[in-house]
Amino acid sequence: MNKLSKLGEPLLVGGVTIRNRVFLAPMSGVTDEAFRTRAYAHGAGLVVSEMVASGELAKGRGSSGFRIRHSGLPVHMVQLAGREAAHMAEAARIAVGEGADVIDINMGCPAKKVTGGYAGSALMRDLDFALTLIDAVVEAVDVPVTLKMRLGWDDDVLNAPELARRAEQAGVSMVTVHGRTRCQFYKGKADWQAIARVKQAVSIPVVANGDVATREDAAEILEQSGADAVMAGRSHYGAPWTAGMIAAAASGASAAGVPSSASALADYAVAHYEDMLALYGTESGLRQARKHLGWYLDRHAAEVPDELRRGVLTSFDPAQVISSLREALTSFGEPERNAA
């Protein structure tokens, strides 16, 4: 049995069956409904909503309600962030009312705008307070509650094992650990061995996260961490099929729908663009989509001329964007081979 094989197996999380053990990480501004639907179609075992601010959702503000909308996938998982127990509990209830099968609590986001509000990974600086939020969410809903964290705030506060142990005692069904501290942000290399200390501290499933981009990465992070599943995030930029390809490798199959030619890649990127225009409306959609189109170019057509690149990323005319995108990827694109 190879190191990857267990990733192809189902995983039970608090009574919810996940079809395999390769997950798409929640990423703010990235894992919207259009992106999650694609990743799941390629074979990702679990996809998670963008981080939703619990206070905004509880108060009915902004786009929070839009972010928790059910996409029709078999398992709908919503990630919440916040610092007020009442808001976290109410947001969890609202998300479950909209069909969420699993609620994930964010205690891992390193962004200053999040930690500055004493949310995300800042909560790892005060575990007693962090547990009040976990308790509030667990008590508020009947669906499984999971937790995403980092190794700690900095190298002097590596308290992920303690947080995981206390979270399990509070009723959390699964924990995900990014193998960096908050103060590392995304610099350096994730410490996969440190995740093993979390695995040793709990009996619930542990998901290893950080720098997973290929089947080799997945095998190695499993070896070093002893985790039950893996989660890949930024490696999906310009490649929504990454988790699906790793999962396919685990089961000895081929990932579904991965473009295998320059023309197929162009068709794929255009379809993703059109999905985003339909999701957000033309005006907002063309702005939201630019980062994705930039990632497709960076990853698959790095040699595209600057003028053509500008035509893709600066035009306000969807037809012009599509035309330039097709030209860029058809003429200069090269699909990844055996990417996972």
Side-chain angles (χ1 to χ4, degrees):
M1 181 178 294
N2 64 55
K3 296 178 183 178
L4 281 176
S5 60
K6 80 171 183 179
L7 293 182
E9 300 171 0
L11 179 66
L12 192 64
V13 178
V16 174
T17 301
I18 311 302
R19 65 178 181 176
N20 68 55
R21 302 180 183 215
V22 188
F23 304 161
L24 168 68
M27 293 178 283
S28 184
V30 179
T31 55
D32 57 18
E33 182 178 334
F35 199 95
R36 297 194 307 273
T37 301
R38 287 181 171 274
Y40 193 84
H42 291 304
L46 182 66
V47 297
V48 190
S49 77
E50 301 175 75
M51 179 179 65
V52 178
S54 60
E56 297 294 294
L57 182 58
K59 297 174 184 177
R61 294 177 178 171
S63 62
S64 54
F66 175 77
R67 288 188 173 197
I68 68 167
R69 188 174 70 180
H70 202 300
S71 56
L73 299 179
V75 177
H76 182 43
M77 185 169 180
V78 172
Q79 186 186 73
L80 300 176
R83 62 176 181 175
E84 299 289 343
H87 289 163
M88 289 289 286
E90 179 61 17
R93 284 190 287 265
I94 292 170
V96 170
E98 291 295 320
D101 301 294
V102 183
I103 298 295
D104 186 58
I105 300 174
N106 183 310
M107 293 190 182
C109 180
K112 291 181 180 179
K113 67 179 180 180
V114 176
T115 59
Y118 205 60
S121 56
L123 293 165
M124 298 192 74
R125 304 179 77 175
D126 185 346
L127 298 194
D128 288 342
F129 181 70
L131 263 292
T132 66
L133 305 182
I134 294 171
D135 287 337
V137 175
V138 170
E139 293 171 7
V141 297
D142 293 327
V143 302
V145 175
T146 63
L147 176 65
K148 192 170 191 291
M149 66 180 78
R150 288 197 164 217
L151 297 177
W153 177 259
D154 57 26
D155 288 339
D156 295 324
V157 187
L158 299 174
N159 55 3
E162 182 183 358
L163 176 56
R165 178 181 56 79
R166 295 180 66 178
E168 179 181 22
Q169 292 173 348
V172 162
S173 298
M174 181 176 74
V175 294
T176 299
V177 186
H178 183 115
R180 290 182 174 88
T181 65
R182 182 272 175 183
C183 289
Q184 284 182 269
F185 286 87
Y186 295 99
K187 296 177 182 177
K189 182 74 172 67
D191 187 348
W192 294 343
Q193 288 184 335
I195 299 172
R197 292 192 286 274
V198 178
K199 175 61 181 171
Q200 294 159 7
V202 297
S203 59
I204 54 177
V206 172
V207 184
N209 176 223
D211 297 338
V212 177
T214 67
R215 68 186 74 184
E216 291 79 16
D217 294 335
E220 188 61 28
I221 199 172
L222 286 178
E223 179 75 14
Q224 293 190 28
S225 69
D228 302 280
V230 301
M231 178 176 280
R234 292 170 296 148
S235 57
H236 285 85
Y237 291 178
W241 48 80
T242 298
M245 291 188 74
I246 296 172
S251 59
S254 298
V258 179
S260 58
S261 67
S263 61
L265 178 63
D267 290 342
Y268 184 97
V270 167
H272 188 179
Y273 181 65
E274 292 174 336
D275 286 347
M276 294 192 72
L277 297 185
L279 180 64
Y280 293 103
T282 300
E283 183 176 351
S284 177
L286 64 86
R287 293 195 302 271
Q288 298 273 0
R290 282 174 177 163
K291 57 180 169 287
H292 293 278
L293 302 186
W295 291 329
Y296 283 122
L297 296 179
D298 291 342
R299 188 158 189 154
H300 306 287
E303 302 302 317
V304 67
D306 289 344
E307 183 177 356
L308 186 53
R309 182 183 178 88
R310 285 194 297 271
V312 173
L313 301 181
T314 64
S315 175
F316 288 90
D317 178 2
Q320 180 59 52
V321 172
I322 289 172
S323 176
S324 297
L325 182 61
R326 282 196 181 280
E327 181 180 354
L329 292 176
T330 301
S331 301
F332 300 93
E334 180 61 34
E336 294 176 305
R337 304 296 181 186
N338 300 316

